[in-house]
Every structure is written in C-alpha cells, then in structure tokens.
Amino acid sequence: MSVLYPLAHLSLFLLEWILLGLAIRLWLKSNSVAMIVLPILLASLSYDNCLLAGGRLVGEGELLLFLSKLRFLLHYLTVPMFVVVGVELAHRAGAAWATTLTRTLSWLTALGLAWVDIAINYLGLQLVPVDAWGVLRYQVAVLNGPPIITIIVNVFVLLIGIGLYIRLRWQWLLVGTVVALVGNSIPSSVVGTLPGSASEFVLAISLLLTENRTQSVGLSLPLNQALREEVI
C-alpha cells in the first residue's frame, strides 16, 4: 500500500498531461477565450498529483511546505473557474440563459469566489506534515468547516450537467460531476488522497468529452440546425 498510492498519483499525473495536450487542441478549435480554463485546470490537477507522488522524494521541510502552499493556492484559484467552463458549455449547447452577459458574469463570479476562498482559507494558512498511505504531504492544521466554495461550484456544474443531459442527451458531464462529488466527500483521513484525485481526473475527462461534444454540434450554428446537420 505504501507504494500503490504514490504510483497511482504518478500515473494520474502522466495521464493528466495527455489530457492537457487534448485540452489545448480543443481550446485552439473552440474560438473561445473561456475554454483556456480547461488546460489551466488540468495543469493544476497534474501539479497536485505530481506533488503527492513525489512528496517523500522531496522530504519533509521548507521546500515541500512551500510547494504545498502553492498547491493550495492553485486549488483556491482554479476550482471557481469551473463556473466559467460550465456556462461556456451551456452556451455552446444552446441554453437560452447563457447569454453574453451571463458569460461575462461567470468570470466575475469565479474571480469573486476565488477571492473569498483565498481570503478565508489561504491567508494565514497553517499546514502540518502528514505521512499516510505512502504519501508525505502537508495538510491544513485546523479545518474551518466543509469546503463551501468547492461544494457551490460542484453543485453548479451538476446543474449544468443535468441541463446538457436534457438538451443533448449527453450524460457524461453529469456522471463526472457526481463521481467528483462522491470522491471529494470521503475524508482523506479515512481513505487517503487517491479517491479524491481519481474523482477529479474523472471530472476532467468528462469536461473534455463534453467540450468535444458541444463543438461537434456546431460552434456558431443554432442548436436545431446543428443537430440536423449532424444527423445528415
């Protein structure tokens, strides 16, 4: 077990770099500035798994502590950006509410949530070393309750997933979000870091598949016309 978790995190790190390349290709095809968020999210996830895989190699001390603080900062900055991705996917799928105004507000909302998360959870952050399941990492010394911002963002993406299923009969974003919610709800003190990281990987795949799907129905065509052309 002491080898399984680091190897699994290393595998996730390598797979996420493959997904990162695919995400960049989709972003270049999308003609959407918002979709650059997907590669940024994958880069953050890959850094997270890289640090978890190599924590013991770095060793307990100031370097691992610094790298861990950077890991938490990236988490607080990137998680709210799922709001931007969700609104962009809804817009691409033809949702009437995903207007230009809504898309602009999604950026302001994401940046606001990130600021709140940093102000509440990151400023004055105290980390302590934990060596369990073969993974040496730094975790928050005192938790300030459940991760409210993460829960809000996940529920929002879940609603987008339900909407896409109703509109396009596309279930994978919904499935990926449910897996992420379940995986992140299990305390790492009970099962270690792997379930949470693996569930985030599943969510990343579902986002990429959904982005590819919404591109396939047409980036600029009305939904009904795009679907007719797809059938033809």
Side-chain angles (χ1 to χ4, degrees), residues 78 96 106 114 144 146 168 190 222:
T78 57
S106 71
N144 297 320
L168 299 179
V190 177

Side-chain angles (χ1 to χ4, degrees), residues 111-182:
L111 293 173
L113 291 173
W115 181 85
V116 170
D117 227 358
I118 290 173
I120 294 176
N121 296 310
Y122 188 74
L123 297 181
L125 179 68
Q126 297 294 322
L127 300 177
V128 294
V130 174
D131 191 345
W133 303 85
V135 175
L136 175 62
R137 62 190 174 96
Y138 278 84
Q139 70 174 22
V140 179
V142 180
L143 294 175
N144 297 320
I148 300 298
I149 300 298
T150 300
I151 293 172
I152 291 173
V153 170
N154 282 336
V155 170
F156 177 81
V157 178
L158 178 66
L159 294 175
I160 297 292
I162 294 171
L164 288 177
Y165 177 72
I166 294 172
R167 185 171 293 272
L168 299 179
R169 294 303 174 194
W170 178 258
Q171 73 273 25
W172 295 114
L173 182 59
L174 178 60
V175 171
T177 308
V178 171
V179 170
L181 281 169
V182 173

Side-chain angles (χ1 to χ4, degrees), residues 193-222:
T193 53
L194 187 55
S197 295
S199 66
E200 290 172 348
F201 176 74
V202 172
L203 177 58
I205 291 177
S206 71
L207 286 167
L208 284 174
L209 291 174
T210 304
E211 166 62 5
N212 185 64
R213 170 61 176 166
T214 56
Q215 284 190 19
S216 73
V217 299
L219 298 176
S220 58
L221 295 173

Side-chain angles (χ1 to χ4, degrees), residues 41-114:
L41 289 171
L42 280 163
S44 177
L45 289 177
S46 67
Y47 175 80
D48 191 78
N49 278 295
C50 181
L51 193 59
L52 291 172
R56 284 199 169 186
L57 295 177
V58 177
E60 184 179 334
E62 292 298 321
L63 178 57
L64 185 58
L65 178 60
F66 170 78
L67 295 174
S68 298
K69 286 184 177 180
L70 179 59
R71 173 190 166 213
F72 278 92
L73 179 60
L74 288 174
H75 175 80
Y76 295 138
L77 286 173
T78 57
V79 167
M81 292 300 167
F82 279 110
V83 172
V84 175
V85 176
V87 171
E88 196 66 24
L89 292 174
H91 167 73
R92 196 77 53 75
W97 59 267
T99 61
T100 300
L101 176 60
T102 305
R103 295 163 72 192
T104 302
L105 289 176
S106 71
W107 280 98
L108 297 176
T109 301
L111 293 173
L113 291 173

Side-chain angles (χ1 to χ4, degrees), residues 32-45:
S32 170
V33 175
M35 297 318 296
I36 187 58
V37 174
L38 265 179
I40 293 174
L41 289 171
L42 280 163
S44 177
L45 289 177

